[in-house]
Amino acid sequence: MTRPRCALVSLADTPWYHVVNRCVRRAFLCGHDAHSGQDFEHRRGWVETRIRELASVFAIDVAAYAVMSNHYHVVLRVDAARARGWSDEEVLRRWTQLFTGPLLVQQFLQPPQRALMGQAQLEQVQALADTYRARLFELSWFMRVLNESIARQANAEDGVKGRFWEGRFKSQALLDEQARRE
């Protein structure tokens, strides 16, 4: 029986996770496809660049990664304490590096416009910051943003629509130092 992801990821047990995601429809993530004769090696750079970008935004550290022909592996460390220490403004600045955000957030990030905001608006912004803060140290959000951007680029390049990834990522908790080294 399958278990929900929230039951599989327990930061109380370990902040370290090994995640894997695989492509569908014989799609190539990177490397040379002997079947079609195409070379997808440049996609390795897409994955590496996006992992680095997301690591600079999220409170998730990337310890290691490997990009294979039809899947990738990443070892991640979730740092919830770091995200909890960020100010609301820092959280909103980080979040808006990835998403536009609602108009209230955009106004809040502009000091002249922030000064004109009422108490109710500021409370709404604080509630949004709390939501985004939780997402910025959530493994599922990190993987969602990573996978969606790669899938969009690959599908556009391949001239197809639909799924690029086999399904949700697989995660394995790394419970001891030995597991983190292997």
Side-chain angles (χ1 to χ4, degrees):
M1 181 164 151
T2 60
R3 295 172 56 193
R5 182 97 39 205
C6 62
L8 299 175
V9 176
S10 170
L11 297 181
D13 293 329
T14 182
W16 292 93
Y17 291 88
H18 171 217
V19 295
V20 179
N21 216 1
R22 188 172 303 281
C23 299
V24 295
R25 70 173 189 277
R26 294 188 57 182
F28 261 68
L29 180 56
C30 69
H32 182 76
D33 179 4
H35 180 71
S36 70
Q38 290 185 285
D39 185 13
F40 298 105
E41 191 58 36
H42 62 283
R43 291 182 180 176
R44 183 181 313 273
W46 294 355
V47 177
E48 292 173 352
T49 299
R50 192 61 173 165
I51 286 172
R52 291 176 194 274
E53 288 171 355
L54 295 178
S56 72
V57 173
F58 282 79
I60 295 178
D61 300 318
V62 178
Y65 62 87
V67 183
M68 315 305 272
S69 63
N70 68 346
H71 67 286
Y72 67 84
H73 300 260
V74 187
V75 176
L76 302 169
R77 180 183 171 276
V78 180
D79 191 350
R82 182 177 1 146
R84 288 185 186 112
W86 290 333
S87 69
D88 288 350
E89 185 171 355
E90 176 70 14
V91 167
L92 297 172
R93 289 203 186 283
R94 286 173 179 273
W95 188 256
T96 56
Q97 288 179 43
L98 303 171
F99 303 99
T100 305
L103 183 58
L104 274 178
V105 168
Q106 294 172 33
Q107 290 173 338
F108 181 84
L109 292 174
Q110 301 299 319
Q113 292 182 22
R114 183 186 318 166
L116 302 174
M117 295 175 78
Q119 186 60 33
Q121 292 172 312
L122 292 172
E123 288 173 5
Q124 283 184 296
V125 169
Q126 184 178 10
L128 287 168
D130 291 343
T131 299
Y132 300 155
R133 180 179 285 106
R135 290 177 182 176
L136 287 171
F137 67 86
E138 190 174 311
L139 194 58
S140 290
W141 271 93
F142 182 94
M143 296 302 294
R144 173 185 175 175
V145 176
L146 172 61
N147 289 337
E148 182 179 336
S149 60
I150 301 303
R152 285 180 188 273
Q153 285 178 280
N155 281 348
E157 183 178 73
D158 295 345
V160 298
K161 293 182 178 182
R163 299 183 72 133
F164 181 75
W165 300 108
E166 188 174 75
R168 288 195 70 196
F169 65 94
K170 311 290 187 275
S171 66
Q172 172 80 37
L174 302 177
L175 298 172
D176 59 19
E177 191 65 33
Q178 178 77 18
R180 290 189 279 269
R181 281 195 225 130
E182 293 179 357

